[in-house]
Amino acid sequence: MVEMTDTLFSGGNVFDGRELRSSLGVLMAGRNITAVSTAESFAGFDGLMIDTTGMTLMPGMIDAHVHLAFDASDTPDGNLNAADRAGLDAAVASRALASLHAGFVALRDCGGPGTAEFTIRDAIRRGDQTGPVIQACGQMIRKALNGFGDKVAYAATSDSDVPDAVRAVAATGADFINIMTTIDATACGQPDRPAYSADAVQRGVAARALGLRTISNAQCAEDVVAAAAAGVASVEQGSRLDAAGIDAMIANDVVLVPILLARQNIDAARIARGGSPAAIDAAAELAAQTRDAACRFAEAGGKLALGTDCGAPGSAHGTNGAELLLLAEAGLAPLDILRAATLNGADLMGLHDLGRIEKGARASLLLVAGDPTRDIRAVAETTYHHGVWHDGKRLVGG
């Protein structure tokens, strides 16, 4: 790691979180960006200068959906009981650092045991160790335990249990609340599927009275509408988003976090294991619906944030950038993808000094080869990265 020093980036493009701009200089002093102006205005600067000709300087990225306690195995929470606490703490710290080195300066942990992820979050906040900004919800609130992810779930088995569950999870030190309004998207339309009523979701989102945002894993169309109407900050996946859901989300300023990477990797593992043709077909249909929902939402003017579900089967921490490629393959425009990975994610997490390049913002930056608005691989693949800085310190490159 290179210690902080006044540094001027000049010569190439700057993606500031909103648009791609040229002929700018960006001055970093200490932990912050202190000036963004024309390159000519920095004439006579005698500090460290980094020539970015042929490259693009951009904000460090935000992953709005990870699971740091998960090990990306077929049963990602299966080792939580087996691992000693010190070992789990070390694993979470290592996974967070892997994402930081891949250019992700902030992570939103959307479900964990409520132990190690809080410990590492707090250690990073105190400056005791290096890592990205972490926000964590602890245990997810879920209606049914079914063997997958149970170790990171708080069971609220009936609608009436939801408010007490929210208060209990909030008391553990959560930064936000995650209510799963859809557990099994293949059961959408079935009357007995394990989902909460719209009224229960509304009462669950009363966590705002505790000063906490609420998010929702919602895939069935009616669940998306209920979550959006209740005022969640974001809908995760939104696979079967319909016109009513789009309208409700936009009207309530709800962000969509599509999560394509984990779905791709879980589906690939199912095929490799020789899953049933019916299950493989159903998974492929759901994946196509998720991609389509993201595009329709963006086309309607909705705001997307990038989330990977890293830690889920096959999705190792540090491979977060692959999500950008999948969003591009789904048909999203490069600028929309870059905004989702920076400004939108930062704003979703309330991190208004990250995800942007402007005076006063934190100097958490990524320098990549080429122009990512023409080729998203420049951001998605670490081989194109020339440097990662976090709070003014260079962690990668140089």
Side-chain angles (χ1 to χ4, degrees):
M1 181 190 299
V2 178
E3 290 302 314
M4 293 182 285
T5 185
D6 288 7
T7 303
L8 176 65
F9 300 89
S10 184
N13 292 323
V14 173
F15 172 69
D16 63 7
R18 298 175 179 86
E19 303 294 338
L20 187 74
R21 306 168 68 187
S22 59
S23 303
L24 289 182
V26 176
L27 181 63
M28 175 178 76
R31 293 166 53 93
N32 296 98
I33 295 169
T34 55
V36 180
S37 187
T38 62
E40 293 79 8
S41 66
F42 294 101
F45 175 77
D46 61 359
L48 174 64
M49 181 176 290
I50 295 180
D51 183 0
T52 61
T53 301
M55 295 182 274
T56 299
L57 184 70
M58 60 178 283
M61 292 184 285
I62 316 293
D63 191 333
H65 195 119
V66 302
H67 298 277
L68 289 167
F70 285 3
D71 63 4
S73 67
D74 286 346
T75 54
D77 66 334
N79 294 322
L80 291 184
N81 284 349
D84 65 283
R85 179 56 193 278
L88 182 58
D89 286 356
V92 167
S94 176
R95 293 163 189 163
L97 193 58
S99 293
L100 179 57
H101 285 170
F104 287 82
V105 300
L107 307 173
R108 193 175 64 160
D109 189 296
C110 293
T115 56
E117 72 275 28
F118 290 163
T119 297
I120 301 309
R121 172 199 67 186
D122 295 347
I124 292 170
R125 287 178 181 175
R126 290 191 305 268
D128 293 343
Q129 64 185 67
T130 300
V133 174
I134 295 174
Q135 291 181 0
C137 69
Q139 293 179 304
M140 301 176 285
I141 295 172
R142 201 168 74 179
K143 189 169 186 178
L145 302 184
N146 59 10
F148 186 86
D150 289 355
K151 296 185 181 69
V152 299
Y154 189 105
T157 57
S158 68
D159 284 358
S160 62
D161 292 332
V162 172
D164 285 343
V166 168
R167 285 189 289 271
V169 172
T172 66
D175 294 303
F176 61 96
I177 301 295
N178 184 3
I179 299 177
M180 294 193 68
T181 51
T182 303
I183 294 177
D184 183 1
T186 65
C188 293
Q190 297 179 15
D192 59 344
R193 65 182 178 82
Y196 296 116
S197 69
D199 180 65
V201 177
Q202 183 73 54
R203 285 184 282 129
V205 176
R208 284 178 299 194
L210 303 172
L212 302 179
R213 293 177 174 86
T214 301
I215 71 170
S216 182
N217 277 61
Q219 296 186 69
C220 299
E222 63 271 30
D223 294 342
V224 174
V225 172
V232 298
S234 65
V235 163
E236 316 301 295
Q237 301 186 64
S239 304
R240 293 183 169 166
L241 179 66
D242 62 7
I246 291 174
D247 290 344
M249 289 181 68
I250 292 176
N252 290 281
D253 197 25
V254 178
V255 177
L256 177 64
V257 184
I259 310 175
L260 306 182
L261 179 62
R263 185 159 304 286
Q264 171 189 266
N265 291 339
I266 291 170
D267 292 349
R270 180 182 287 111
I271 293 170
R273 290 195 304 267
S276 73
I280 290 171
D281 289 346
E285 179 186 9
L286 188 63
Q289 290 172 330
T290 307
R291 293 191 296 270
D292 178 65
C295 291
R296 287 187 289 110
F297 188 66
E299 289 167 0
K303 186 180 293 184
L304 277 72
L306 180 142
T308 64
D309 219 1
C310 275
S315 299
H317 297 279
T319 66
N320 317 58
E323 182 77 12
L324 288 88
L325 292 174
L326 295 175
L327 290 169
E329 290 171 7
L332 287 169
L335 268 176
D336 286 337
I337 297 170
L338 292 172
R339 292 171 186 139
T342 56
L343 184 70
N344 292 356
D347 286 352
L348 174 60
M349 293 175 65
L351 302 172
H352 301 304
D353 57 355
L354 287 177
R356 65 206 76 207
I357 292 179
E358 60 187 34
K359 184 178 179 180
R362 290 167 70 169
S364 295
L365 303 166
L366 174 62
L367 181 62
V368 304
D371 178 354
T373 67
R374 295 179 179 273
D375 187 349
I376 202 68
R377 289 180 301 170
V379 180
E381 299 178 4
T382 57
T383 53
Y384 293 91
H385 294 184
H386 283 258
V388 176
W389 290 259
H390 187 42
D391 288 339
K393 296 181 179 180
R394 189 167 193 165
L395 305 168
V396 174

